[in-house]
Protein backbone atom coordinates (compact mmCIF):
# COMPACT_ATOMS: atom_id res chain seq x y z
CA UNK A 1 0.00 0.00 0.00
CA UNK A 2 1.54 3.41 -1.00
CA UNK A 3 2.66 5.72 1.78
CA UNK A 4 0.65 8.91 2.20
CA UNK A 5 3.28 11.35 3.42
CA UNK A 6 0.78 14.22 3.36
CA UNK A 7 -1.23 12.52 6.09
CA UNK A 8 1.76 12.85 8.41
CA UNK A 9 2.24 16.57 7.75
CA UNK A 10 0.31 19.16 9.74
CA UNK A 11 -2.16 21.14 7.61
CA UNK A 12 -1.48 24.71 6.46
CA UNK A 13 -3.85 27.04 4.63
CA UNK A 14 -2.10 29.39 2.19
CA UNK A 15 -4.04 32.51 1.24
CA UNK A 16 -2.39 33.39 -2.08
CA UNK A 17 -2.97 37.02 -3.08
CA UNK A 18 -3.52 38.00 -6.69
CA UNK A 19 -2.46 40.19 -8.46
CA UNK A 20 1.13 39.79 -7.26
CA UNK A 21 4.61 39.89 -8.71
CA UNK A 22 5.76 41.54 -11.92
CA UNK A 23 3.89 44.61 -13.17
CA UNK A 24 3.91 45.86 -16.76
CA UNK A 25 6.65 48.42 -16.07
CA UNK A 26 8.96 45.79 -14.57
CA UNK A 27 8.27 43.32 -17.39
CA UNK A 28 9.08 46.04 -19.93
CA UNK A 29 12.30 47.03 -18.16
CA UNK A 30 13.60 43.45 -17.92
CA UNK A 31 12.56 42.76 -21.51
CA UNK A 32 14.46 45.89 -22.57
CA UNK A 33 17.74 44.62 -21.11
CA UNK A 34 17.22 41.14 -22.57
CA UNK A 35 16.46 42.53 -26.04
CA UNK A 36 19.41 44.94 -25.87
CA UNK A 37 21.69 41.99 -25.07
CA UNK A 38 20.21 39.98 -27.95
CA UNK A 39 20.62 42.88 -30.39
CA UNK A 40 23.98 44.30 -29.32
CA UNK A 41 25.64 41.45 -27.44
CA UNK A 42 27.37 41.78 -24.08
CA UNK A 43 28.12 43.93 -22.29
CA UNK A 44 25.03 46.12 -22.03
CA UNK A 45 25.32 48.74 -19.31
CA UNK A 46 22.39 49.56 -17.03
CA UNK A 47 22.15 52.75 -15.00
CA UNK A 48 21.13 51.61 -11.51
CA UNK A 49 19.50 48.23 -10.85
CA UNK A 50 16.99 47.74 -13.64
CA UNK A 51 14.40 46.80 -10.98
CA UNK A 52 14.84 46.31 -7.25
CA UNK A 53 15.22 42.55 -7.04
CA UNK A 54 18.50 40.79 -6.35
CA UNK A 55 17.53 37.64 -8.29
CA UNK A 56 16.59 39.60 -11.41
CA UNK A 57 19.80 41.62 -11.24
CA UNK A 58 21.92 38.47 -10.76
CA UNK A 59 20.31 36.72 -13.73
CA UNK A 60 20.81 39.70 -16.04
CA UNK A 61 24.38 40.13 -14.80
CA UNK A 62 25.09 36.51 -15.75
CA UNK A 63 23.75 37.29 -19.23
CA UNK A 64 26.14 40.21 -19.64
CA UNK A 65 24.42 43.25 -18.12
CA UNK A 66 26.74 45.59 -16.19
CA UNK A 67 25.03 47.70 -13.54
CA UNK A 68 26.52 51.14 -12.84
CA UNK A 69 25.50 54.17 -10.81
CA UNK A 70 27.61 56.62 -12.82
CA UNK A 71 27.75 56.96 -16.60
CA UNK A 72 31.41 57.98 -16.57
CA UNK A 73 32.64 54.44 -17.12
CA UNK A 74 30.20 53.55 -19.92
CA UNK A 75 32.01 53.19 -23.29
CA UNK A 76 30.52 55.24 -26.11
CA UNK A 77 30.22 52.17 -28.33
CA UNK A 78 28.01 50.21 -25.91
CA UNK A 79 24.32 50.71 -25.09
CA UNK A 80 23.21 51.96 -21.68
CA UNK A 81 19.71 51.21 -20.39
CA UNK A 82 18.09 53.62 -17.93
CA UNK A 83 16.24 51.72 -15.19
CA UNK A 84 12.49 51.53 -14.59
CA UNK A 85 12.73 54.01 -11.71
CA UNK A 86 13.55 57.00 -13.92
CA UNK A 87 16.48 59.39 -13.78
CA UNK A 88 17.04 63.12 -13.27
CA UNK A 89 17.37 65.28 -16.35
CA UNK A 90 21.08 65.70 -15.65
CA UNK A 91 21.63 61.98 -16.30
CA UNK A 92 19.89 62.22 -19.68
CA UNK A 93 21.91 65.33 -20.52
CA UNK A 94 25.11 63.54 -19.52
CA UNK A 95 24.27 60.62 -21.81
CA UNK A 96 23.50 63.00 -24.67
CA UNK A 97 26.69 65.04 -24.21
CA UNK A 98 28.79 61.84 -24.32
CA UNK A 99 26.77 60.57 -27.30
CA UNK A 100 25.94 57.36 -25.48
CA UNK A 101 23.56 54.83 -27.01
CA UNK A 102 20.81 55.44 -24.43
CA UNK A 103 17.78 53.14 -24.16
CA UNK A 104 15.21 54.50 -21.72
CA UNK A 105 13.33 51.79 -19.81
CA UNK A 106 11.71 54.22 -17.36
CA UNK A 107 8.23 53.03 -16.45
CA UNK A 108 5.66 55.04 -18.45
CA UNK A 109 3.76 55.78 -15.23
CA UNK A 110 6.90 57.33 -13.72
CA UNK A 111 7.38 59.34 -16.91
CA UNK A 112 3.85 60.67 -16.40
CA UNK A 113 4.90 62.05 -13.00
CA UNK A 114 8.03 63.59 -14.55
CA UNK A 115 5.89 65.30 -17.18
CA UNK A 116 3.49 66.64 -14.52
CA UNK A 117 6.35 68.10 -12.48
CA UNK A 118 7.93 69.83 -15.49
CA UNK A 119 4.53 71.21 -16.55
CA UNK A 120 3.78 72.58 -13.08
CA UNK A 121 7.20 74.20 -12.76
CA UNK A 122 6.88 75.73 -16.24
CA UNK A 123 3.55 77.22 -15.12
CA UNK A 124 5.24 78.85 -12.12
CA UNK A 125 4.09 76.41 -9.47
CA UNK A 126 6.24 75.03 -6.69
CA UNK A 127 5.77 71.25 -6.49
CA UNK A 128 5.42 69.27 -3.26
CA UNK A 129 6.42 65.66 -3.86
CA UNK A 130 5.20 62.92 -1.50
CA UNK A 131 7.80 60.17 -1.41
CA UNK A 132 10.75 58.50 0.28
CA UNK A 133 14.06 60.35 0.40
CA UNK A 134 16.95 58.75 -1.52
CA UNK A 135 14.70 56.34 -3.42
CA UNK A 136 15.86 56.42 -7.08
CA UNK A 137 12.35 57.23 -8.32
CA UNK A 138 12.19 60.24 -6.02
CA UNK A 139 15.69 61.37 -7.04
CA UNK A 140 14.62 61.16 -10.68
CA UNK A 141 11.37 63.02 -10.08
CA UNK A 142 13.00 65.81 -8.09
CA UNK A 143 15.63 66.06 -10.82
CA UNK A 144 13.03 67.11 -13.40
CA UNK A 145 13.17 70.72 -12.20
CA UNK A 146 15.76 73.22 -10.95
CA UNK A 147 16.94 72.82 -7.37
CA UNK A 148 14.41 74.16 -4.89
CA UNK A 149 11.45 73.89 -7.28
CA UNK A 150 10.38 70.51 -5.85
CA UNK A 151 10.00 69.99 -2.09
CA UNK A 152 9.94 66.46 -0.69
CA UNK A 153 7.62 65.49 2.17
CA UNK A 154 7.69 62.04 3.75
CA UNK A 155 5.34 62.40 6.74
CA UNK A 156 2.35 64.34 8.02
CA UNK A 157 4.76 66.21 10.31
CA UNK A 158 6.72 67.33 7.24
CA UNK A 159 3.52 68.78 5.80
CA UNK A 160 2.68 70.55 9.05
CA UNK A 161 6.16 72.11 9.05
CA UNK A 162 5.89 73.54 5.52
CA UNK A 163 5.99 77.34 5.29
CA UNK A 164 3.08 79.40 3.97
CA UNK A 165 4.08 79.67 0.32
CA UNK A 166 3.31 82.91 -1.48
CA UNK A 167 2.90 81.47 -4.97
CA UNK A 168 0.83 78.68 -6.55
CA UNK A 169 1.44 75.07 -5.56
CA UNK A 170 1.00 71.57 -6.99
CA UNK A 171 1.66 68.09 -5.67
CA UNK A 172 2.81 64.76 -7.10
CA UNK A 173 3.61 61.42 -5.47
CA UNK A 174 6.01 58.54 -5.83
CA UNK A 175 4.22 55.73 -7.68
CA UNK A 176 4.94 52.93 -5.14
CA UNK A 177 3.59 54.38 -1.88
CA UNK A 178 0.98 53.08 0.53
CA UNK A 179 -2.39 54.01 -0.93
CA UNK A 180 -3.98 54.67 2.47
CA UNK A 181 -1.10 56.70 3.92
CA UNK A 182 -0.83 58.75 0.74
CA UNK A 183 -4.54 59.59 0.88
CA UNK A 184 -4.00 60.98 4.38
CA UNK A 185 -1.04 63.05 3.23
CA UNK A 186 -2.89 64.45 0.23
CA UNK A 187 -5.81 65.36 2.50
CA UNK A 188 -3.39 67.15 4.83
CA UNK A 189 -1.87 69.07 1.91
CA UNK A 190 -5.29 70.14 0.67
CA UNK A 191 -6.30 71.20 4.18
CA UNK A 192 -3.21 73.41 4.47
CA UNK A 193 -3.24 74.65 0.87
CA UNK A 194 -6.84 74.54 -0.49
CA UNK A 195 -5.79 75.85 -3.91
CA UNK A 196 -3.05 73.26 -4.47
CA UNK A 197 -3.19 71.58 -7.88
CA UNK A 198 -2.90 67.83 -8.27
CA UNK A 199 -3.01 65.12 -10.91
CA UNK A 200 -6.31 64.30 -12.61
CA UNK A 201 -5.76 60.71 -11.48
CA UNK A 202 -3.61 59.54 -8.58
CA UNK A 203 0.09 59.02 -9.27
CA UNK A 204 0.28 55.72 -7.38
CA UNK A 205 0.41 53.13 -10.13
CA UNK A 206 -2.34 50.60 -10.83
CA UNK A 207 -0.07 47.68 -9.92
CA UNK A 208 0.83 49.11 -6.51
CA UNK A 209 -2.86 49.74 -5.75
CA UNK A 210 -3.95 46.31 -6.99
CA UNK A 211 -1.31 44.45 -4.99
CA UNK A 212 -2.17 46.34 -1.82
CA UNK A 213 -5.90 45.62 -2.26
CA UNK A 214 -5.19 41.91 -2.78
CA UNK A 215 -3.02 41.80 0.35
CA UNK A 216 -5.75 43.54 2.36
CA UNK A 217 -8.23 40.88 1.28
CA UNK A 218 -5.86 37.97 1.94
CA UNK A 219 -4.30 39.12 5.21
CA UNK A 220 -7.34 39.42 7.47
CA UNK A 221 -7.29 35.88 8.91
CA UNK A 222 -3.57 35.11 8.59
CA UNK A 223 -1.31 34.09 11.45
CA UNK A 224 1.64 35.11 9.26
CA UNK A 225 1.89 36.99 5.98
CA UNK A 226 4.93 36.65 3.72
CA UNK A 227 5.78 39.11 0.94
CA UNK A 228 8.38 37.90 -1.54
CA UNK A 229 10.64 40.79 -2.53
CA UNK A 230 13.88 42.62 -1.91
CA UNK A 231 14.30 45.10 0.96
CA UNK A 232 15.23 47.85 -1.53
CA UNK A 233 11.84 47.45 -3.23
CA UNK A 234 9.56 50.22 -1.98
CA UNK A 235 6.33 48.57 -3.15
CA UNK A 236 7.32 45.28 -1.46
CA UNK A 237 7.97 47.01 1.86
CA UNK A 238 4.58 48.72 1.56
CA UNK A 239 2.90 45.33 1.10
CA UNK A 240 4.31 44.14 4.44
CA UNK A 241 2.92 47.29 6.10
CA UNK A 242 -0.42 46.74 4.35
CA UNK A 243 -0.66 43.13 5.59
CA UNK A 244 -0.04 44.19 9.20
CA UNK A 245 -2.57 47.02 8.96
CA UNK A 246 -5.15 44.66 7.43
CA UNK A 247 -5.05 42.28 10.38
CA UNK A 248 -2.29 39.72 9.83
CA UNK A 249 -0.88 38.66 13.21
CA UNK A 250 2.60 39.09 11.78
CA UNK A 251 4.13 39.92 8.39
CA UNK A 252 7.60 39.86 6.92
CA UNK A 253 9.56 40.51 3.74
CA UNK A 254 11.41 37.51 2.30
CA UNK A 255 13.93 37.53 -0.54
CA UNK A 256 13.64 33.79 -1.23
CA UNK A 257 12.68 30.49 0.40
CA UNK A 258 16.27 29.74 1.40
CA UNK A 259 16.25 32.67 3.83
CA UNK A 260 13.04 31.74 5.60
CA UNK A 261 13.24 30.82 9.28
CA UNK A 262 11.09 27.69 9.36
CA UNK A 263 10.57 27.94 13.11
CA UNK A 264 8.22 30.82 12.29
CA UNK A 265 5.69 28.23 11.12
CA UNK A 266 5.32 26.90 14.67
CA UNK A 267 1.73 27.53 15.71
CA UNK A 268 0.81 28.92 12.27
CA UNK A 269 -2.33 27.49 10.67
CA UNK A 270 -2.93 30.13 8.00
CA UNK A 271 -0.24 31.94 6.03
CA UNK A 272 -0.73 34.71 3.49
CA UNK A 273 1.53 35.07 0.46
CA UNK A 274 2.16 37.79 -2.09
CA UNK A 275 5.08 39.25 -4.04
CA UNK A 276 6.24 42.76 -4.84
CA UNK A 277 6.01 44.15 -8.36
CA UNK A 278 9.68 43.39 -9.07
CA UNK A 279 9.68 39.81 -7.72
CA UNK A 280 9.60 36.89 -10.20
CA UNK A 281 6.80 34.33 -9.83
CA UNK A 282 9.45 31.60 -9.69
CA UNK A 283 10.34 32.82 -6.18
CA UNK A 284 6.70 32.41 -5.08
CA UNK A 285 6.60 28.92 -6.58
CA UNK A 286 9.84 27.97 -4.82
CA UNK A 287 8.45 29.10 -1.47
CA UNK A 288 5.24 27.14 -2.03
CA UNK A 289 7.31 24.06 -2.90
CA UNK A 290 9.33 24.47 0.29
CA UNK A 291 6.12 24.86 2.30
CA UNK A 292 4.66 21.74 0.70
CA UNK A 293 7.69 19.73 1.78
CA UNK A 294 6.85 20.52 5.40
CA UNK A 295 3.07 20.96 5.57
CA UNK A 296 -0.04 19.59 3.89
CA UNK A 297 -1.16 22.64 1.91
CA UNK A 298 -4.59 23.92 1.10
CA UNK A 299 -4.28 26.95 -1.20
CA UNK A 300 -7.01 29.59 -1.26
CA UNK A 301 -6.66 31.96 -4.21
CA UNK A 302 -7.65 35.50 -3.22
CA UNK A 303 -8.05 37.48 -6.43
CA UNK A 304 -9.22 41.10 -6.31
CA UNK A 305 -8.39 42.26 -9.86
CA UNK A 306 -7.28 41.07 -13.29
CA UNK A 307 -4.40 42.85 -15.00
CA UNK A 308 -3.88 43.00 -18.77
CA UNK A 309 -1.65 46.08 -19.06
CA UNK A 310 1.32 45.80 -21.44
CA UNK A 311 3.83 48.57 -22.15
CA UNK A 312 5.55 48.70 -25.52
CA UNK A 313 9.28 48.17 -25.93
CA UNK A 314 11.29 51.43 -25.88
CA UNK A 315 11.46 53.07 -29.29
CA UNK A 316 15.19 52.46 -29.72
CA UNK A 317 14.63 48.68 -29.62
CA UNK A 318 11.30 48.56 -31.46
CA UNK A 319 11.44 46.85 -34.83
Amino acid sequence: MPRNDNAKKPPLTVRLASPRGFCAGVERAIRTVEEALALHGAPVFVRHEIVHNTHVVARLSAMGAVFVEDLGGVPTDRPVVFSAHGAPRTAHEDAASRKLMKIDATCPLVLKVHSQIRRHVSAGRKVILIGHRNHPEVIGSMGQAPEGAVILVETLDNIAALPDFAGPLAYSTQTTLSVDETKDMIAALKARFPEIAGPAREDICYATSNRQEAVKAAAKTCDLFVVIGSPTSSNSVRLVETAKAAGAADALLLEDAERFDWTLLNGVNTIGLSAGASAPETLVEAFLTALAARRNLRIDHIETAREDVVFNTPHRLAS
Side-chain angles (χ1 to χ4, degrees), residues 21-77:
F22 281 176
C23 64
V26 164
E27 289 178 345
R28 174 180 182 264
I30 295 170
R31 184 172 75 245
T32 297
V33 178
E34 293 170 341
E35 292 184 6
L37 284 162
L39 181 63
H40 299 285
V44 165
F45 289 81
V46 183
R47 184 188 179 277
H48 193 66
E49 293 183 348
I50 188 67
V51 297
H52 282 161
N53 185 272
T54 54
H55 291 271
V56 171
V57 169
R59 182 176 69 83
L60 293 175
S61 295
M63 293 172 64
V66 178
F67 295 89
V68 299
E69 294 298 327
D70 187 280
L71 298 181
V74 178
T76 56
D77 63 342

Coordinates of all heavy atoms in Angstrom, one line a residue, residues 21-77:
G21 N 3.5 40.0 -7.8 CA 4.6 39.9 -8.7 C 4.7 40.9 -9.8 O 4.2 42.0 -9.7
F22 N 5.4 40.6 -10.9 CA 5.8 41.5 -11.9 C 4.6 42.4 -12.4 O 3.5 41.9 -12.7 CB 6.3 40.8 -13.1 CG 7.7 40.4 -13.0 CD1 8.3 39.6 -14.0 CD2 8.5 40.7 -11.9 CE1 9.6 39.2 -13.9 CE2 9.8 40.3 -11.8 CZ 10.4 39.5 -12.8
C23 N 4.8 43.7 -12.5 CA 3.9 44.6 -13.2 C 4.4 44.9 -14.6 O 5.4 44.4 -15.0 CB 3.8 45.9 -12.4 SG 5.4 46.8 -12.4
A24 N 3.6 45.6 -15.4 CA 3.9 45.9 -16.8 C 5.2 46.7 -16.9 O 6.0 46.4 -17.8 CB 2.8 46.6 -17.4
G25 N 5.4 47.6 -16.0 CA 6.6 48.4 -16.1 C 7.9 47.6 -15.8 O 8.9 47.8 -16.5
V26 N 7.8 46.7 -14.9 CA 9.0 45.8 -14.6 C 9.2 44.8 -15.7 O 10.3 44.6 -16.2 CB 8.7 45.0 -13.3 CG1 9.7 43.8 -13.1 CG2 8.9 46.0 -12.1
E27 N 8.1 44.2 -16.2 CA 8.3 43.3 -17.4 C 8.9 44.0 -18.6 O 9.8 43.5 -19.2 CB 6.9 42.8 -17.8 CG 6.3 41.8 -16.8 CD 4.9 41.3 -17.2 OE1 4.3 41.9 -18.1 OE2 4.5 40.3 -16.6
R28 N 8.5 45.3 -18.8 CA 9.1 46.0 -19.9 C 10.6 46.3 -19.7 O 11.4 46.2 -20.6 CB 8.3 47.4 -20.1 CG 8.9 48.3 -21.1 CD 8.0 49.6 -21.1 NE 8.4 50.6 -22.1 CZ 9.2 51.6 -21.8 NH1 9.7 51.8 -20.6 NH2 9.5 52.5 -22.8
A29 N 10.9 46.7 -18.5 CA 12.3 47.0 -18.2 C 13.2 45.8 -18.3 O 14.3 45.9 -18.9 CB 12.4 47.6 -16.7
I30 N 12.8 44.7 -17.8 CA 13.6 43.4 -17.9 C 13.7 43.0 -19.4 O 14.8 42.7 -19.9 CB 13.0 42.3 -17.1 CG1 13.1 42.7 -15.6 CG2 13.7 41.0 -17.3 CD1 12.3 41.8 -14.7
R31 N 12.6 43.1 -20.1 CA 12.6 42.8 -21.5 C 13.5 43.7 -22.3 O 14.2 43.2 -23.2 CB 11.1 42.9 -22.0 CG 10.9 42.5 -23.5 CD 9.5 42.4 -23.9 NE 8.9 43.8 -24.1 CZ 8.0 44.3 -23.3 NH1 7.5 43.7 -22.3 NH2 7.5 45.5 -23.5
T32 N 13.6 44.9 -21.9 CA 14.5 45.9 -22.6 C 15.9 45.5 -22.5 O 16.7 45.5 -23.5 CB 14.3 47.3 -22.0 OG1 12.9 47.7 -22.2 CG2 15.2 48.3 -22.6
V33 N 16.4 45.1 -21.3 CA 17.7 44.6 -21.1 C 18.0 43.3 -21.9 O 19.0 43.2 -22.6 CB 18.1 44.4 -19.6 CG1 19.5 43.9 -19.5 CG2 17.9 45.7 -18.9
E34 N 17.1 42.4 -21.8 CA 17.2 41.1 -22.6 C 17.3 41.4 -24.1 O 18.2 40.8 -24.8 CB 16.1 40.2 -22.3 CG 16.0 39.7 -20.8 CD 14.7 39.0 -20.5 OE1 13.7 39.2 -21.2 OE2 14.7 38.3 -19.5
E35 N 16.5 42.3 -24.6 CA 16.5 42.5 -26.0 C 17.7 43.3 -26.4 O 18.2 43.1 -27.5 CB 15.2 43.3 -26.4 CG 13.9 42.4 -26.3 CD 12.7 43.1 -26.8 OE1 12.8 44.2 -27.3 OE2 11.6 42.5 -26.6
A36 N 18.2 44.2 -25.6 CA 19.4 44.9 -25.9 C 20.6 44.0 -25.9 O 21.5 44.1 -26.8 CB 19.6 46.0 -24.8
L37 N 20.6 43.0 -25.0 CA 21.7 42.0 -25.1 C 21.6 41.1 -26.3 O 22.6 40.8 -27.0 CB 21.6 41.1 -23.8 CG 22.1 41.7 -22.5 CD1 21.6 40.9 -21.3 CD2 23.6 41.8 -22.5
A38 N 20.4 40.8 -26.7 CA 20.2 40.0 -28.0 C 20.6 40.8 -29.2 O 21.2 40.2 -30.1 CB 18.8 39.5 -28.1
L39 N 20.3 42.0 -29.2 CA 20.6 42.9 -30.4 C 22.1 43.3 -30.5 O 22.7 43.3 -31.5 CB 19.7 44.1 -30.4 CG 19.8 45.1 -31.5 CD1 19.4 44.4 -32.8 CD2 18.9 46.3 -31.3
H40 N 22.6 43.7 -29.3 CA 24.0 44.3 -29.3 C 25.1 43.4 -28.8 O 26.2 43.7 -28.9 CB 24.0 45.6 -28.5 CG 23.1 46.6 -29.1 ND1 23.3 47.4 -30.2 CD2 21.8 47.1 -28.6 CE1 22.3 48.2 -30.4 NE2 21.4 48.1 -29.5
G41 N 24.7 42.3 -28.1 CA 25.6 41.5 -27.4 C 26.1 42.1 -26.1 O 25.8 43.2 -25.8
A42 N 26.9 41.3 -25.4 CA 27.4 41.8 -24.1 C 28.7 42.5 -24.3 O 29.4 42.3 -25.2 CB 27.6 40.6 -23.1
P43 N 29.0 43.5 -23.4 CA 28.1 43.9 -22.3 C 27.1 45.0 -22.7 O 27.3 45.8 -23.6 CB 29.1 44.5 -21.3 CG 30.2 45.1 -22.2 CD 30.3 44.2 -23.4
V44 N 26.0 45.0 -22.0 CA 25.0 46.1 -22.0 C 25.1 46.7 -20.6 O 24.9 46.0 -19.6 CB 23.6 45.6 -22.4 CG1 22.6 46.7 -22.1 CG2 23.5 45.2 -23.8
F45 N 25.3 48.0 -20.6 CA 25.3 48.7 -19.3 C 23.9 49.2 -18.9 O 23.1 49.5 -19.7 CB 26.3 49.9 -19.4 CG 27.7 49.6 -19.5 CD1 28.2 49.2 -20.8 CD2 28.5 49.5 -18.4 CE1 29.6 48.8 -20.9 CE2 29.9 49.2 -18.5 CZ 30.4 48.8 -19.8
V46 N 23.7 49.2 -17.6 CA 22.4 49.6 -17.0 C 22.6 50.6 -15.9 O 23.4 50.3 -15.0 CB 21.6 48.3 -16.5 CG1 20.2 48.8 -16.0 CG2 21.5 47.3 -17.5
R47 N 22.0 51.7 -16.0 CA 22.1 52.7 -15.0 C 21.2 52.4 -13.8 O 20.0 52.4 -14.0 CB 21.8 54.1 -15.5 CG 22.0 55.2 -14.5 CD 21.5 56.6 -15.0 NE 21.7 57.6 -14.0 CZ 20.9 57.8 -12.9 NH1 19.8 57.1 -12.8 NH2 21.2 58.8 -12.1
H48 N 21.8 52.1 -12.7 CA 21.1 51.6 -11.5 C 20.6 50.2 -11.8 O 20.5 49.7 -12.9 CB 20.0 52.6 -11.1 CG 19.5 52.3 -9.7 ND1 20.3 52.5 -8.6 CD2 18.3 51.9 -9.3 CE1 19.5 52.2 -7.5 NE2 18.3 51.8 -7.9
E49 N 20.2 49.5 -10.7 CA 19.5 48.2 -10.8 C 18.3 48.4 -11.7 O 17.4 49.3 -11.4 CB 19.1 47.7 -9.5 CG 20.3 47.3 -8.6 CD 19.8 46.7 -7.3 OE1 18.6 46.7 -7.0 OE2 20.7 46.1 -6.6
I50 N 18.1 47.6 -12.7 CA 17.0 47.7 -13.6 C 15.7 47.7 -12.9 O 14.7 48.5 -13.2 CB 17.0 46.7 -14.8 CG1 16.0 47.0 -15.9 CG2 16.9 45.3 -14.2 CD1 16.3 48.2 -16.6
V51 N 15.5 46.8 -11.9 CA 14.4 46.8 -11.0 C 15.0 46.4 -9.6 O 16.1 45.8 -9.6 CB 13.3 45.8 -11.4 CG1 12.6 46.3 -12.7 CG2 13.8 44.4 -11.5
H52 N 14.3 46.6 -8.6 CA 14.8 46.3 -7.3 C 14.5 44.9 -6.9 O 13.7 44.6 -6.0 CB 14.3 47.3 -6.2 CG 15.0 48.6 -6.3 ND1 14.4 49.8 -5.7 CD2 16.2 49.0 -6.8 CE1 15.2 50.8 -5.9 NE2 16.3 50.3 -6.6
N53 N 15.3 43.9 -7.5 CA 15.2 42.5 -7.0 C 16.6 41.9 -7.3 O 17.1 41.9 -8.4 CB 14.1 41.8 -7.8 CG 13.9 40.4 -7.3 OD1 14.6 39.5 -7.7 ND2 13.1 40.2 -6.3
T54 N 17.2 41.3 -6.2 CA 18.5 40.8 -6.3 C 18.6 39.6 -7.3 O 19.6 39.4 -8.0 CB 19.0 40.3 -5.0 OG1 18.1 39.4 -4.4 CG2 19.2 41.5 -4.0
H55 N 17.5 38.8 -7.4 CA 17.5 37.6 -8.3 C 17.5 38.1 -9.7 O 18.2 37.5 -10.6 CB 16.4 36.7 -8.0 CG 16.5 36.0 -6.6 ND1 17.1 34.8 -6.5 CD2 16.1 36.4 -5.4 CE1 17.1 34.5 -5.2 NE2 16.5 35.4 -4.5
V56 N 16.7 39.1 -10.0 CA 16.6 39.6 -11.4 C 17.9 40.2 -11.8 O 18.4 39.9 -12.9 CB 15.5 40.7 -11.5 CG1 15.5 41.4 -12.9 CG2 14.1 40.0 -11.3
V57 N 18.5 41.0 -10.9 CA 19.8 41.6 -11.2 C 20.9 40.6 -11.4 O 21.7 40.7 -12.4 CB 20.2 42.6 -10.1 CG1 21.6 43.1 -10.3 CG2 19.2 43.8 -10.1
A58 N 20.9 39.5 -10.6 CA 21.9 38.5 -10.8 C 21.8 37.7 -12.1 O 22.8 37.4 -12.7 CB 21.8 37.5 -9.6
R59 N 20.5 37.4 -12.5 CA 20.3 36.7 -13.7 C 20.8 37.6 -14.9 O 21.4 37.1 -15.8 CB 18.8 36.4 -13.9 CG 18.5 35.6 -15.2 CD 17.1 35.1 -15.2 NE 16.2 36.3 -15.4 CZ 15.9 36.8 -16.6 NH1 16.5 36.3 -17.7 NH2 15.1 37.8 -16.7
L60 N 20.4 38.8 -14.9 CA 20.8 39.7 -16.0 C 22.3 39.9 -16.1 O 22.9 40.0 -17.1 CB 20.1 41.0 -16.0 CG 18.5 40.9 -16.2 CD1 17.9 42.3 -16.0 CD2 18.2 40.4 -17.6
S61 N 22.9 40.0 -14.9 CA 24.4 40.1 -14.8 C 25.0 38.9 -15.4 O 26.0 39.1 -16.2 CB 24.8 40.3 -13.3 OG 24.4 41.5 -12.8
A62 N 24.5 37.7 -15.2 CA 25.1 36.5 -15.8 C 24.9 36.5 -17.3 O 25.8 35.9 -18.0 CB 24.4 35.3 -15.1
M63 N 24.0 37.2 -17.8 CA 23.7 37.3 -19.2 C 24.6 38.3 -19.9 O 24.8 38.4 -21.1 CB 22.3 37.6 -19.5 CG 21.3 36.5 -19.1 SD 19.6 37.0 -19.3 CE 19.4 37.3 -21.0
G64 N 25.2 39.2 -19.1 CA 26.1 40.2 -19.6 C 25.8 41.7 -19.4 O 26.4 42.6 -19.9
A65 N 24.8 41.9 -18.5 CA 24.4 43.2 -18.1 C 25.4 43.7 -17.0 O 25.8 43.0 -16.2 CB 23.0 43.3 -17.6
V66 N 25.8 45.0 -17.2 CA 26.7 45.6 -16.2 C 26.0 46.8 -15.5 O 25.6 47.7 -16.2 CB 28.0 46.1 -16.9 CG1 29.0 46.7 -15.8 CG2 28.8 44.9 -17.5
F67 N 25.8 46.7 -14.2 CA 25.0 47.7 -13.5 C 26.0 48.8 -13.0 O 26.9 48.4 -12.3 CB 24.2 47.1 -12.4 CG 23.1 46.1 -13.0 CD1 23.4 44.8 -13.2 CD2 21.9 46.6 -13.3 CE1 22.4 43.9 -13.7 CE2 20.9 45.8 -13.9 CZ 21.2 44.4 -14.1
V68 N 25.7 50.0 -13.3 CA 26.5 51.1 -12.8 C 25.6 52.2 -12.2 O 24.5 52.3 -12.6 CB 27.3 51.7 -14.0 CG1 28.3 50.7 -14.6 CG2 26.4 52.3 -15.1
E69 N 26.2 53.0 -11.4 CA 25.5 54.2 -10.8 C 25.9 55.5 -11.5 O 25.2 56.5 -11.5 CB 25.8 54.3 -9.3 CG 25.2 53.1 -8.5 CD 23.7 53.0 -8.6 OE1 23.0 54.1 -8.7 OE2 23.2 51.9 -8.5
D70 N 27.1 55.4 -12.2 CA 27.6 56.6 -12.8 C 27.9 56.3 -14.3 O 28.4 55.2 -14.6 CB 28.9 57.1 -12.1 CG 29.4 58.4 -12.6 OD1 30.1 58.4 -13.7 OD2 29.2 59.4 -12.0
L71 N 27.6 57.2 -15.2 CA 27.7 57.0 -16.6 C 29.2 57.2 -17.1 O 29.5 56.9 -18.2 CB 26.8 57.9 -17.4 CG 25.3 57.7 -17.2 CD1 24.5 58.6 -18.1 CD2 24.9 56.2 -17.4
G72 N 30.0 57.6 -16.2 CA 31.4 58.0 -16.6 C 32.2 56.8 -17.1 O 33.0 57.0 -18.0
G73 N 31.9 55.6 -16.7 CA 32.6 54.4 -17.1 C 32.0 53.7 -18.3 O 32.5 52.6 -18.7
V74 N 30.9 54.2 -18.8 CA 30.2 53.6 -19.9 C 30.9 53.9 -21.2 O 31.0 55.1 -21.6 CB 28.7 54.0 -20.0 CG1 28.0 53.3 -21.1 CG2 28.0 53.6 -18.7
P75 N 31.4 52.9 -22.0 CA 32.0 53.2 -23.3 C 31.0 53.7 -24.3 O 29.8 53.4 -24.2 CB 32.5 51.8 -23.7 CG 32.5 50.9 -22.5 CD 31.4 51.5 -21.7
T76 N 31.4 54.6 -25.2 CA 30.5 55.2 -26.1 C 30.0 54.3 -27.2 O 29.1 54.6 -27.9 CB 31.2 56.4 -26.8 OG1 32.4 56.0 -27.4 CG2 31.5 57.5 -25.7
D77 N 30.7 53.1 -27.3 CA 30.2 52.2 -28.3 C 29.3 51.1 -27.8 O 29.0 50.1 -28.5 CB 31.4 51.5 -29.0 CG 32.3 50.7 -28.1 OD1 32.2 50.9 -26.9 OD2 33.1 49.9 -28.6

